């Protein structure tokens, strides 16, 4: 395997540091897409005048392959990643990659590097499809050459520790996304724009950032790379609440799957705007009993503490809550093939 930094087997794989032996790729020119290629994992050689390095036409995806007890390796809802990749490309004026080509490149990599799909508990093969503008010019217009790549990273748990509750920092003045912006595209620039806030979160002892809406700085949106959920316990019953999708919230596949699983478990679900005040006051009064973030990399991550300039509040007793644990367990069981795939989410790799 190729590594970018020293990661000894004894310290575990961590996340995104070790890569399998191959990559798959397709190039695009105005003539269209070339056929998928499998090559050894290699460094790219790019002119310093390559467009992506200047103007940032770069999009990506993230999905996982899981080994199942029947010997098959299965992907979790990969066609949704393929479709979202098309929407991201459209927003960034990049060429649309057919869903079948996306799926073929992902499957080809997984089957080529099948022996490197880890089967230790909590591990999987994280797949990272990406597309960059490779035309060499400093002209400011959509590029006329692109490279699509899929790389694979055998990965352990995203956060250190088994299943910790994290502390989050609320970004009150710097939003992640703006109405009409690129918040619902999975583009590299969204992450670059969030790095400064991520650094201030770390300076405040927090693991992740929660972003508020750009207009009023009152409504919860999502984390830097995960969607956000609250569990409310009211006299009328228990409700799972998440902010509604918009052009400032990434349409998470884990988010959609959690909403389906929650309904299966008989939880009432609400997609509606939630203010920071509701989160804080509800946690203090005991009506908001749990919160968690979710995404492909970290699956379901409970939030134990929330910090902002005004101080800190604790959710529940600050440890992973009952529903967070249950939803995480259910989702992981389907992904690992230990529970029936009742929604037809798993796709075998051929
Ligand atoms: C990728 C991403 C998510 C999570 O999406 P999944 O499909 O569940 O992995 C959430 N928010 C942002 C900003 C993201 O980039």
């Amino acid at each position: 395997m190729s590594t970018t930094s020293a990661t000894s087997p004894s310290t575990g794989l961590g996340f995104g540091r070790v890569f399998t032996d191959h990559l798959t790729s397709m190039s695009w020119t105005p003539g269209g897409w070339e056929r998928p290629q499998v090559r050894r994992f290699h460094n790219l050689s790019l002119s310093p005048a390559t467009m992506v390095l200047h103007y940032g036409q770069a999009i990506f995806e993230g999905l996982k392959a899981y080994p199942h007890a029947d010997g098959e390796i299965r992907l979790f809802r990969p066609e949704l990643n393929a479709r979202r990749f098309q929407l991201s490309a459209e927003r960034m004026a990049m060429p649309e990659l057919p869903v079948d080509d996306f799926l073929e490149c992902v499957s080809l990599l997984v089957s080529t590097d099948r022996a490197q799909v880890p089967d230790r508990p909590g591990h999987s093969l994280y797949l990272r499809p990406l597309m960059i503008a490779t035309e060499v010019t400093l002209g400011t217009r959509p590029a006329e050459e692109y490279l699509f790549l899929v790389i694979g990273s055998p990965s352990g748990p995203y956060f250190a520790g088994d299943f910790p509750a994290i502390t989050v920092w609320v970004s009150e003045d710097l939003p992640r996304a703006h109405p009409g912006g690129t918040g619902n595209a999975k583009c590299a620039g969204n992450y670059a724009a969030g790095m400064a806030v991520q650094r201030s979160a770390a300076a405040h002892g927090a693991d992740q950032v929660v972003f508020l809406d750009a207009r009023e700085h009152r409504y919860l949106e999502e984390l830097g790379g995960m969607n956000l959920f609250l569990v409310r316990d009211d006299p009328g019953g228990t409700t799972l609440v998440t902010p509604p999708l918009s052009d400032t919230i990434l349409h998470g596949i884990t988010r959609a799957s959690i909403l389906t699983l929650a309904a299966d478990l008989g939880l009432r679900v609400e997609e509606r705007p939630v203010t920071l005040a509701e989160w804080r006051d509800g946690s203090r009064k005991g009506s908001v009993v749990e919160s968690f973030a979710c995404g492909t990399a970290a699956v379901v991550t409970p939030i134990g503490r929330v910090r902002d300039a005004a101080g800190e509040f604790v959710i529940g007793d600050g440890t992973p809550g009952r529903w967070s644990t249950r939803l995480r367990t259910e989702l992981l069981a389907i992904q690992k093939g230990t529970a029936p795939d009742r929604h037809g989410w798993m796709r075998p790799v051929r």
Side-chain angles (χ1 to χ4, degrees), residues 158-159 166-170 198 201 206-210 223-226:
Y158 190 79
F159 292 106
I166 61 167
T167 299
V168 296
W169 170 254
V170 180
Q198 180 65 40
D207 304 285
Q208 291 280 321
V209 179
V210 172
L223 278 71
M226 284 183 277

Side-chain angles (χ1 to χ4, degrees), residues 232-262:
R232 289 194 62 101
D233 239 343
D234 296 299
T238 305
T239 318
L240 185 68
V241 187
T242 193
L245 293 178
S246 69
D247 64 353
T248 58
I249 294 192
L250 202 284
H251 297 206
I253 296 164
T254 318
R255 176 188 181 280
S257 308
I258 294 274
L259 286 173
T260 301
L261 291 182

Side-chain angles (χ1 to χ4, degrees), residues 60-62 81 84 176 183 185-186 190-191 222-227 250-255 294-297:
F60 66 95
E61 269 303 325
N81 297 94
R84 189 169 65 188
R176 189 192 76 90
K186 225 168 159 69
N190 287 347
Y191 279 71
E222 60 172 317
L223 278 71
M226 284 183 277
N227 295 109
L250 202 284
H251 297 206
I253 296 164
T254 318
R255 176 188 181 280
C294 72
T296 296

Side-chain angles (χ1 to χ4, degrees), residues 1 7-9 11-18 118 120 123-124 153-157:
M1 293 191 202
T7 309
S8 78
T11 57
L13 291 166
F15 178 81
R17 291 181 176 279
V18 180
R120 275 192 282 163
H123 290 60
S124 57
S153 177
S155 294

